[in-house]
Amino acid sequence: MPSNQSGDAKRTSLHGFWSSRMVFILAVTGSAVGLGNIWKFPYIAGQNGGGAFVLVYLFCVVLIGMPVMMSEILIGRRGRRNPVTTMALLGEEEGGSRHWQWVGGMGVLAGILILSYYSVIAGWTLGYIVKSAAGAFTGASAELIGAEFGAFVGDWRQVVLVHSLFMGLTVFVVARGVERGLEQAVKIMVPALLLLLLILLGYSMTSGHFGEGVAFMFTPDFSKLTWNSVLVALGHAFFTLSLGMGAIMAYGAYLSDETSITESSIAVVIADTFIALLAGLVIFPLVFANGLNPASGPGLVFQTLPLAFGQMPGGAFFSTIFFILLSFAAWTSALGLMEPAVAWVVEHLNRTRAQAAVMIGSLIWAIGLGSALSTNVLSNFRFLINVDTNGDGIMDAKGTIFDNIDYLTSNIMLPLGGLLIVVFAGWVMCRNSTADELGGAGASFKIWRFLARYLAPMGILFVFMKAIGILDWIVALFG
Ligand code: TRP
């Protein structure tokens, strides 16, 4: 089949282009490296038994995350519009159906839902900047730090305040456009975060429990692995790489035609995975050194790191810097989470970027109140999914609003979005169109196409059906 879009008729971006390949890689890395790497990865690895989970996660990142990322960028660059319009345009051009726009629509919705609770956690990090600077953790015991965390998230006024502050900051930047200030910030902040993690790694290596931490992360114990934890690993691979919801597609729309999609994707995947593993190597030795529970959930980083900092010389200073950097990492991710919705409002409803940012930001803020109140006023309002509240591996309660939104987006919407995106790129788009975007039909194209057509979709479907129990049901039916 010939390519439907001839070279000289290429669409152009409505929002300008990234100034260089480096800036594109930094922007995508900025969206990928966030709370997912430092806050979420260690606690879900802890909840799902460590080693075996980490191994499954790495497989998911390389065999599924990588081809999906390449698919999102190539679709975005070819469509050059917001994800909804891009999927409609390409759907029509390549597959004769505009219905593919619903994939873009689900992505816009997923971004809004994720940012609603992401902003709450990012707000916690803002609160912890102030606490660190005030020396609240200096010399404090594990009990004291745990109590401090409980009191903070238990006070709805403080949590709503910091959630509002973070959304305000995000809207402020999005309203001004994806401008130089942010590119500059990312250039400084990503290396600075890395440097600080390396310093902390040095500290955790001397904690006397480094070996225990390494063993927890890298010794696979498959008896602890359930199909639900495989689904969590897959969902996290999407979450950490910002995939499955059109954010990378939106960024791809501003990418020049010359830049290699394969090389850029490899760079981002390596950087993101490296930072997540580094965070685990910092946190788990400290968890074991202080007799904490690796499965203690979302509060993990807010308790282990302050504890470690509290015992370091200059700890208040380092702790302050650390939470500032973590806030920056969250902030650059938040911009990516809003981009599909904002680009859609700008292009579709003819609003200015500032109007679009305020509209979408207000909506996200309001939905986020549900998550902000999940650790206090609404902590007993529980429904739908089952969770383990005390880290003993037993699902002992229903989830809060926060737990449910997190589960719905990470474990259902992102993998489903990723599945549809990769099927679209692998099966619906003409071979020539994708080869054109991926720099010709060479070896890397062939590997991508194999992964995108077979391995990734089958892997996602299998994990899905297994986790939901459909596969067992089919087996039972024929068995
Ligand atoms: N990748 C981000 C993190 O690890 C979170 C995230 C998920 C995201 N989906 C996104 C960021 C889409 C930007 C765009 O923290």
Side-chain angles (χ1 to χ4, degrees), residues 11 81-106 344 347-348 424 428:
R11 277 177 289 270
R81 293 292 180 273
N82 71 80
V84 183
T85 311
T86 284
M87 289 305 289
L89 277 176
L90 291 189
E92 193 157 53
E93 225 165 69
E94 308 267 345
S97 166
R98 290 182 71 85
H99 285 307
W100 286 98
Q101 67 183 319
W102 295 107
V103 177
M106 184 173 75
W344 182 78
E347 290 176 29
H348 206 77
F424 183 76
V428 179

Short mmCIF file of all heavy atoms in Angstrom, two decimals, residues 11 81-106 344 347-348 424 428:
data_model
loop_
_atom_site.label_atom_id
_atom_site.label_comp_id
_atom_site.label_asym_id
_atom_site.label_seq_id
_atom_site.Cartn_x
_atom_site.Cartn_y
_atom_site.Cartn_z
N ARG A 11 1.77 18.20 6.86
CA ARG A 11 1.18 19.22 7.72
C ARG A 11 2.28 19.88 8.54
O ARG A 11 3.32 19.31 8.76
CB ARG A 11 0.19 18.58 8.69
CG ARG A 11 -1.19 18.35 8.11
CD ARG A 11 -2.06 17.65 9.13
NE ARG A 11 -1.64 16.27 9.31
CZ ARG A 11 -2.10 15.25 8.59
NH1 ARG A 11 -3.00 15.46 7.67
NH2 ARG A 11 -1.67 14.03 8.82
N ARG A 81 -1.29 17.66 15.26
CA ARG A 81 -2.39 18.36 15.92
C ARG A 81 -2.49 17.83 17.34
O ARG A 81 -1.72 16.96 17.75
CB ARG A 81 -3.72 18.09 15.19
CG ARG A 81 -3.81 18.68 13.79
CD ARG A 81 -3.86 20.20 13.82
NE ARG A 81 -3.94 20.77 12.47
CZ ARG A 81 -2.88 21.04 11.71
NH1 ARG A 81 -1.66 20.76 12.14
NH2 ARG A 81 -3.05 21.56 10.50
N ASN A 82 -3.48 18.31 18.11
CA ASN A 82 -3.72 17.73 19.43
C ASN A 82 -4.12 16.27 19.24
O ASN A 82 -4.58 15.89 18.15
CB ASN A 82 -4.79 18.54 20.17
CG ASN A 82 -6.16 18.31 19.57
OD1 ASN A 82 -6.81 17.31 19.85
ND2 ASN A 82 -6.58 19.21 18.69
N PRO A 83 -3.93 15.42 20.27
CA PRO A 83 -4.15 13.98 20.08
C PRO A 83 -5.52 13.60 19.54
O PRO A 83 -5.64 12.64 18.78
CB PRO A 83 -3.95 13.41 21.49
CG PRO A 83 -3.03 14.38 22.15
CD PRO A 83 -3.38 15.73 21.60
N VAL A 84 -6.57 14.34 19.91
CA VAL A 84 -7.91 13.98 19.43
C VAL A 84 -7.99 14.21 17.92
O VAL A 84 -8.40 13.32 17.15
CB VAL A 84 -9.00 14.81 20.14
CG1 VAL A 84 -10.38 14.38 19.67
CG2 VAL A 84 -8.88 14.68 21.65
N THR A 85 -7.58 15.39 17.48
CA THR A 85 -7.64 15.72 16.06
C THR A 85 -6.67 14.86 15.26
O THR A 85 -7.00 14.39 14.16
CB THR A 85 -7.32 17.22 15.85
OG1 THR A 85 -8.11 17.97 16.77
CG2 THR A 85 -7.62 17.66 14.44
N THR A 86 -5.47 14.64 15.82
CA THR A 86 -4.49 13.81 15.15
C THR A 86 -5.03 12.41 14.88
O THR A 86 -4.92 11.88 13.77
CB THR A 86 -3.20 13.71 16.00
OG1 THR A 86 -2.48 14.93 15.85
CG2 THR A 86 -2.31 12.57 15.56
N MET A 87 -5.66 11.81 15.89
CA MET A 87 -6.19 10.46 15.70
C MET A 87 -7.34 10.45 14.70
O MET A 87 -7.51 9.50 13.94
CB MET A 87 -6.63 9.85 17.05
CG MET A 87 -5.49 9.48 18.00
SD MET A 87 -4.23 8.38 17.34
CE MET A 87 -5.10 6.83 17.24
N ALA A 88 -8.13 11.53 14.69
CA ALA A 88 -9.23 11.61 13.72
C ALA A 88 -8.67 11.73 12.30
O ALA A 88 -9.08 11.01 11.39
CB ALA A 88 -10.12 12.80 14.04
N LEU A 89 -7.70 12.64 12.13
CA LEU A 89 -7.09 12.87 10.81
C LEU A 89 -6.41 11.62 10.28
O LEU A 89 -6.67 11.19 9.16
CB LEU A 89 -6.01 13.95 10.93
CG LEU A 89 -6.43 15.41 10.88
CD1 LEU A 89 -5.22 16.29 11.10
CD2 LEU A 89 -7.06 15.71 9.53
N LEU A 90 -5.52 11.05 11.11
CA LEU A 90 -4.78 9.88 10.66
C LEU A 90 -5.70 8.68 10.52
O LEU A 90 -5.52 7.84 9.64
CB LEU A 90 -3.63 9.54 11.61
CG LEU A 90 -2.46 10.53 11.66
CD1 LEU A 90 -1.32 9.94 12.48
CD2 LEU A 90 -1.97 10.87 10.27
N GLY A 91 -6.69 8.59 11.39
CA GLY A 91 -7.64 7.49 11.32
C GLY A 91 -8.32 7.47 9.96
O GLY A 91 -8.46 6.43 9.32
N GLU A 92 -8.70 8.66 9.51
CA GLU A 92 -9.36 8.80 8.23
C GLU A 92 -8.40 8.50 7.08
O GLU A 92 -8.69 7.73 6.17
CB GLU A 92 -9.88 10.22 8.10
CG GLU A 92 -10.85 10.41 6.96
CD GLU A 92 -11.73 11.62 7.24
OE1 GLU A 92 -11.15 12.70 7.51
OE2 GLU A 92 -12.96 11.49 7.21
N GLU A 93 -7.22 9.12 7.17
CA GLU A 93 -6.21 9.01 6.12
C GLU A 93 -5.70 7.58 5.94
O GLU A 93 -5.54 7.09 4.83
CB GLU A 93 -5.03 9.87 6.54
CG GLU A 93 -4.44 10.74 5.50
CD GLU A 93 -3.55 11.78 6.18
OE1 GLU A 93 -2.48 11.42 6.72
OE2 GLU A 93 -3.94 12.95 6.20
N GLU A 94 -5.43 6.95 7.08
CA GLU A 94 -4.75 5.65 7.01
C GLU A 94 -5.72 4.48 7.13
O GLU A 94 -5.43 3.39 6.64
CB GLU A 94 -3.71 5.53 8.14
CG GLU A 94 -2.73 6.69 8.21
CD GLU A 94 -1.45 6.40 7.42
OE1 GLU A 94 -1.22 5.24 7.05
OE2 GLU A 94 -0.70 7.35 7.18
N GLY A 95 -6.84 4.70 7.82
CA GLY A 95 -7.71 3.56 8.08
C GLY A 95 -9.17 3.78 7.73
O GLY A 95 -10.02 2.92 7.97
N GLY A 96 -9.47 4.96 7.21
CA GLY A 96 -10.83 5.22 6.79
C GLY A 96 -11.85 5.41 7.90
O GLY A 96 -13.05 5.28 7.68
N SER A 97 -11.39 5.68 9.14
CA SER A 97 -12.36 5.91 10.21
C SER A 97 -11.91 6.98 11.19
O SER A 97 -10.81 6.91 11.73
CB SER A 97 -12.61 4.62 11.00
OG SER A 97 -13.30 4.91 12.20
N ARG A 98 -12.78 7.96 11.39
CA ARG A 98 -12.46 9.02 12.34
C ARG A 98 -12.67 8.58 13.78
O ARG A 98 -12.34 9.29 14.72
CB ARG A 98 -13.32 10.27 12.07
CG ARG A 98 -12.94 11.00 10.79
CD ARG A 98 -13.79 12.25 10.61
NE ARG A 98 -13.46 13.32 11.54
CZ ARG A 98 -12.48 14.19 11.34
NH1 ARG A 98 -11.75 14.14 10.25
NH2 ARG A 98 -12.24 15.13 12.22
N HIS A 99 -13.25 7.40 13.97
CA HIS A 99 -13.53 6.95 15.34
C HIS A 99 -12.29 6.81 16.20
O HIS A 99 -12.38 6.76 17.42
CB HIS A 99 -14.31 5.63 15.33
CG HIS A 99 -15.75 5.82 14.95
ND1 HIS A 99 -16.56 6.72 15.61
CD2 HIS A 99 -16.50 5.25 13.98
CE1 HIS A 99 -17.77 6.69 15.07
NE2 HIS A 99 -17.75 5.81 14.06
N TRP A 100 -11.13 6.73 15.54
CA TRP A 100 -9.88 6.64 16.32
C TRP A 100 -9.71 7.85 17.22
O TRP A 100 -8.91 7.85 18.14
CB TRP A 100 -8.68 6.47 15.39
CG TRP A 100 -8.62 5.10 14.81
CD1 TRP A 100 -9.07 4.70 13.59
CD2 TRP A 100 -8.13 3.92 15.46
NE1 TRP A 100 -8.87 3.35 13.42
CE2 TRP A 100 -8.29 2.84 14.55
CE3 TRP A 100 -7.55 3.66 16.71
CZ2 TRP A 100 -7.91 1.54 14.86
CZ3 TRP A 100 -7.17 2.36 17.03
CH2 TRP A 100 -7.35 1.32 16.10
N GLN A 101 -10.49 8.91 16.95
CA GLN A 101 -10.39 10.08 17.81
C GLN A 101 -10.76 9.78 19.26
O GLN A 101 -10.33 10.48 20.18
CB GLN A 101 -11.27 11.21 17.28
CG GLN A 101 -12.76 10.93 17.38
CD GLN A 101 -13.57 12.06 16.77
OE1 GLN A 101 -13.25 13.21 16.95
NE2 GLN A 101 -14.60 11.70 16.03
N TRP A 102 -11.54 8.72 19.48
CA TRP A 102 -11.91 8.38 20.86
C TRP A 102 -10.71 7.96 21.67
O TRP A 102 -10.70 8.10 22.90
CB TRP A 102 -13.00 7.30 20.88
CG TRP A 102 -14.26 7.82 20.27
CD1 TRP A 102 -14.78 7.49 19.05
CD2 TRP A 102 -15.11 8.84 20.81
NE1 TRP A 102 -15.91 8.24 18.79
CE2 TRP A 102 -16.15 9.07 19.86
CE3 TRP A 102 -15.11 9.57 22.00
CZ2 TRP A 102 -17.16 10.00 20.07
CZ3 TRP A 102 -16.12 10.50 22.21
CH2 TRP A 102 -17.14 10.70 21.25
N VAL A 103 -9.69 7.41 20.98
CA VAL A 103 -8.45 7.06 21.69
C VAL A 103 -7.81 8.34 22.21
O VAL A 103 -7.38 8.42 23.37
CB VAL A 103 -7.48 6.31 20.77
CG1 VAL A 103 -6.18 6.01 21.48
CG2 VAL A 103 -8.11 5.03 20.24
N GLY A 104 -7.81 9.39 21.35
CA GLY A 104 -7.29 10.68 21.80
C GLY A 104 -8.13 11.25 22.93
O GLY A 104 -7.61 11.78 23.90
N GLY A 105 -9.44 11.08 22.81
CA GLY A 105 -10.35 11.59 23.83
C GLY A 105 -10.13 10.91 25.18
O GLY A 105 -10.10 11.56 26.23
N MET A 106 -9.93 9.60 25.15
CA MET A 106 -9.68 8.89 26.41
C MET A 106 -8.36 9.37 27.03
O MET A 106 -8.24 9.49 28.25
CB MET A 106 -9.62 7.38 26.16
CG MET A 106 -9.47 6.59 27.45
SD MET A 106 -9.60 4.80 27.20
CE MET A 106 -8.02 4.45 26.46
N TRP A 344 -6.05 20.64 22.87
CA TRP A 344 -7.38 20.38 22.30
C TRP A 344 -8.28 21.61 22.44
O TRP A 344 -8.93 22.03 21.49
CB TRP A 344 -8.03 19.17 22.97
CG TRP A 344 -9.37 18.84 22.39
CD1 TRP A 344 -9.61 18.18 21.22
CD2 TRP A 344 -10.66 19.17 22.94
NE1 TRP A 344 -10.97 18.08 20.99
CE2 TRP A 344 -11.64 18.67 22.04
CE3 TRP A 344 -11.07 19.82 24.10
CZ2 TRP A 344 -13.01 18.82 22.27
CZ3 TRP A 344 -12.43 19.97 24.32
CH2 TRP A 344 -13.38 19.48 23.42
N GLU A 347 -7.12 24.40 20.02
CA GLU A 347 -7.39 24.16 18.61
C GLU A 347 -8.87 23.99 18.31
O GLU A 347 -9.36 24.38 17.25
CB GLU A 347 -6.65 22.89 18.14
CG GLU A 347 -5.14 23.07 18.07
CD GLU A 347 -4.44 21.76 17.71
OE1 GLU A 347 -5.03 20.92 17.01
OE2 GLU A 347 -3.29 21.58 18.14
N HIS A 348 -9.58 23.40 19.26
CA HIS A 348 -10.95 23.00 18.98
C HIS A 348 -11.96 24.06 19.41
O HIS A 348 -12.96 24.27 18.75
CB HIS A 348 -11.23 21.69 19.71
CG HIS A 348 -12.31 20.88 19.07
ND1 HIS A 348 -12.10 20.15 17.93
CD2 HIS A 348 -13.60 20.70 19.40
CE1 HIS A 348 -13.22 19.55 17.60
NE2 HIS A 348 -14.16 19.87 18.47
N PHE A 424 -2.95 0.78 16.29
CA PHE A 424 -3.14 1.76 15.22
C PHE A 424 -1.86 1.92 14.40
O PHE A 424 -1.88 1.85 13.17
CB PHE A 424 -3.58 3.11 15.80
CG PHE A 424 -3.86 4.14 14.75
CD1 PHE A 424 -5.03 4.10 14.00
CD2 PHE A 424 -2.94 5.15 14.48
CE1 PHE A 424 -5.29 5.04 13.01
CE2 PHE A 424 -3.18 6.09 13.49
CZ PHE A 424 -4.37 6.04 12.75
N VAL A 428 -3.05 -0.43 11.53
CA VAL A 428 -3.90 0.44 10.72
C VAL A 428 -3.07 1.32 9.79
O VAL A 428 -3.40 1.48 8.62
CB VAL A 428 -4.83 1.29 11.62
CG1 VAL A 428 -5.70 2.22 10.78
CG2 VAL A 428 -5.70 0.38 12.48
#
